[in-house]
Amino acid sequence: MDLREIAARLGKAGPVVRVKAGPFVGYLLNDSSLIRQAARDEDTFMFWGREPHVRVIVREGLLSTEGTVHRDRRAVMRPAFAVPRPADLGASVRTETRSLLATLPADRPVDMSHEMTRLTFHLAVRCVLRSEVSPGTLTALAAAHSTLSQVGALRFLLSPWPWVPVPRQRALRRALAVLDEATREVLARHRPAEDGCDVVSLLKQAWREPSEAAVQDVRTLLFTGGEATASTLAWACFELGRHPHHQQALQEEADAALGLGHSQAGVGMDRLPRTAAFVKEVIRLHGLPVLVRCTRRETWLGGHRLPAKATVFLHLGAMSRDPAHFERPDVFDPTRWMPDAQPSVSPAAWLPYALGPRYCPGAAVADVMVPVALATLVATRTVRTARPGRTVRSGFELAAMPRGLTMTAALREPCPSSPSAASGRRPHEGASSIARP
C-alpha cells in the first residue's frame, strides 16, 4: 500500500484524525471547510518551509519566509505572473516543447517521468525565467530534482527521530550542487523582457543585483516551479496510455488549435478546452495529496484540540475524491470539467494551487503552460505504455511522480483540423470523443 492509499483510508475516519507513530503525533484534516480555514489562517498555522529539515533544500528563498517578509517578496514577483501576461506564454511554450520533443526517442521506450521532468525544467528556464542552461545541466537537473524531492520527504518523515540517519545524504549534496549550478547559469544567461517585467528582472531590480536574496528566490522558483508541473505532465502521460480514446480526442483538438495553417500567436485555453479539462482531472486524482502546516499555539479546530507546534496535514486528496462534490470520484472523467458539464464542479471542491497567503504565485502561468505543453505533445507524438501489465505506483516524493512509467512516444503525422475541434465542440459520436467511461 502506498502513501496515497494510506491517506485515502484515513480520509474516511472523520473530519480530524489524530495520527501517531512513535514520538510523532500529527493531525489529518479531511473536511473541506476545515482545510480551507487552516490554509487561510496564517496567524494560527505556520508553513512548514521554516522547518530545519526543509530549509536545507530551500535555504533562504521565498518558500522559507513567512508573514510580512513573505508577502513583500511575493509582491515583487507579482507583475511577472499577473494576467494577461501569462496569455503570451502559449506561443513560446509551444515552440520550446516542440524543440525538446525533437530529442525524445521515437523508436524505443523511455522513462516518461524523467522526460516530463526534463521538459518541465526546460519550459521553466526558457519561458518563465527567460534564460537557458546547458543540455548537460538540464539533464542533471531533472535527475537531481528527484533526489531533492525524495530526500526532502524522508527528512520530513524522520524529523521526530533525529538520531535516525537520513539515507542518500551524499546524493543530496550532489543534487544541491546541480541546483546551484543551474541557478548560476540562469542568472548569467538571463534575457530581460523589453518592459523589464519578467520575474528575474524584477528580482534583480528589487534586491539590487547580485543580491543573495535574488539568487535564493531564483533558486526557489527553479526548484518549486518544476515540482508539481513535472508530476502533472507525467501522470497525464500515464492517463493517456490508459485511455486511448481520450488521447485521440486531445489529438483532434490539438490538430485544430495548433496544427498546420495556424499561427504561433494566440495559443490560449479558449482553443484547448478538452486539454484543460484533461489536465484538471489529472490534478484531481494525482495532484499534491497533502499540504503541511504547524500550529503556532494551542487551538481548537472542528471540535478537536490541537496543541502548539502540532503538525497538521491538510488532506487535499480527501477533498478531490469527496462524493459530495464529484460523481464517481475514483473514476478518471475529464468531461466533468468541460464548460458545458452538468452539474459543474464547485470552485470550493478542490485546491490545486493551495489557498490563502501560500497560494501558488505562478498558478496563472501553470494554467497556460501545462495544457499547451500537453497539447503540443499529443499533436506530435502518440504515447503508449511499453509494458501494459506493469504496475505504476506513486513515488515517495513531495509531489509524487509515477514510478515505472515506461512508455513509447511514436512520431505522429500532422493532421488537418476538423470543424468540430476547431469550434471547441465535441464530436457527436465515435471513439475520439471524450465520453464518460
Side-chain angles (χ1 to χ4, degrees):
M1 183 184 299
D2 63 20
L3 290 178
R4 284 183 187 276
E5 293 170 334
I6 294 173
R9 293 192 179 187
L10 289 173
K12 300 176 182 178
V16 181
V17 179
R18 185 174 182 269
V19 181
K20 189 175 188 303
F24 173 78
V25 177
Y27 297 84
L28 186 70
L29 306 186
N30 299 308
D31 179 79
S32 60
S33 62
L34 297 182
I35 290 172
R36 300 180 76 87
Q37 179 181 340
R40 287 196 182 103
D41 188 357
E42 190 179 24
D43 293 334
T44 304
F45 297 92
M46 179 176 64
F47 185 67
W48 71 306
R50 299 287 296 174
E51 295 296 314
H53 50 272
V54 180
R55 291 183 67 177
V56 70
I57 297 175
V58 302
R59 294 182 184 166
E60 298 302 321
L62 180 69
L63 204 63
S64 64
T65 60
E66 60 175 341
T68 302
V69 174
H70 180 77
R71 289 190 289 273
D72 288 347
R73 289 173 77 163
R74 287 172 64 101
V76 170
M77 307 178 194
R78 190 172 297 125
F81 297 135
V83 177
R85 178 174 293 273
D88 300 332
L89 277 176
S92 60
V93 168
R94 177 191 179 193
T95 299
E96 295 299 337
T97 300
R98 288 178 66 90
S99 171
L100 195 68
L101 289 177
T103 68
L104 187 65
D107 57 348
R108 57 182 173 83
V110 297
D111 181 345
M112 196 59 76
S113 292
H114 174 77
E115 295 301 335
M116 290 302 100
T117 303
R118 199 163 65 97
L119 172 61
T120 296
F121 280 112
H122 179 77
L123 295 176
V125 170
R126 298 299 295 266
C127 302
V128 180
L129 299 177
R130 295 183 60 86
S131 188
E132 58 184 287
V133 297
S134 66
T137 299
L138 179 65
T139 300
L141 186 59
H145 177 266
S146 177
T147 299
L148 292 172
S149 191
Q150 289 177 20
V151 177
L154 279 170
R155 290 179 68 92
F156 172 73
L157 288 178
L158 293 176
S159 59
W161 300 273
W163 59 88
V164 178
V166 178
R168 307 192 68 188
Q169 289 302 300
R170 187 174 300 176
L172 173 63
R173 289 192 291 271
R174 290 196 297 265
L176 289 171
V178 170
L179 181 59
D180 290 339
E181 173 59 27
T183 302
R184 285 191 290 268
E185 290 189 26
V186 165
L187 290 169
R189 302 180 184 184
H190 171 235
R191 304 182 306 275
E194 292 183 3
D195 60 2
C197 278
D198 64 279
V199 64
V200 177
S201 292
L202 291 170
L203 288 171
K204 287 180 176 180
Q205 294 163 17
W207 305 114
R208 301 184 183 277
E209 63 172 322
S211 164
E212 183 63 21
V215 173
Q216 292 302 324
D217 279 347
V218 170
R219 184 180 180 279
T220 297
L221 290 173
L222 193 58
F223 172 63
T224 60
E227 183 76 21
T229 303
S231 174
T232 299
L233 285 171
W235 284 111
C237 290
F238 169 75
E239 295 294 354
L240 288 173
R242 292 178 64 214
H243 305 285
H245 60 293
H246 287 333
Q247 183 166 190
Q248 186 177 350
L250 265 59
Q251 287 174 331
E252 290 181 359
E253 181 177 77
D255 290 339
L258 311 177
L260 298 177
H262 291 280
S263 66
Q264 293 272 358
V267 181
M269 292 306 95
D270 57 325
R271 293 166 60 181
L272 298 170
R274 296 177 190 166
T275 309
F278 188 92
V279 169
K280 287 182 178 179
E281 185 70 349
V282 169
I283 295 174
R284 184 184 75 85
L285 287 179
H286 303 289
L288 195 67
V290 296
L291 299 175
V292 184
R293 298 291 187 267
C294 299
T295 54
R296 298 179 186 275
R297 58 182 178 275
E298 180 181 286
T299 187
W300 285 81
L301 192 66
H304 292 258
R305 186 187 73 84
L306 277 58
K309 298 183 180 180
T311 301
V312 181
F313 300 96
L314 315 187
H315 191 191
L316 303 186
M319 291 183 66
S320 63
R321 293 175 185 258
D322 186 347
H325 295 295
F326 299 99
E327 294 183 5
R328 298 182 298 168
D330 294 324
V331 174
F332 183 82
D333 179 13
T335 61
R336 70 176 89 240
W337 300 100
M338 292 294 286
D340 58 351
Q342 294 295 332
S344 60
V345 177
S346 168
W350 71 320
L351 299 174
Y353 301 115
L355 186 70
R358 290 288 170 169
Y359 184 79
C360 175
V365 170
D367 279 341
V368 174
M369 188 167 72
V370 177
V372 173
L374 184 62
T376 306
L377 170 64
V378 299
T380 56
R381 303 292 184 110
T382 296
V383 298
R384 298 185 180 92
T385 302
R387 302 173 185 174
R390 185 175 182 180
T391 300
V392 175
R393 293 191 175 276
S394 297
F396 185 72
E397 293 144 324
L398 299 176
M401 295 287 287
R403 292 299 168 201
L405 188 60
T406 305
M407 306 189 78
T408 58
L411 291 172
R412 177 174 177 265
E413 292 295 328
C415 299
S417 59
S418 64
S420 62
S423 65
R425 297 191 301 271
R426 285 178 285 182
H428 294 294
E429 59 183 4
S432 62
S433 64
I434 299 185
R436 288 187 180 273

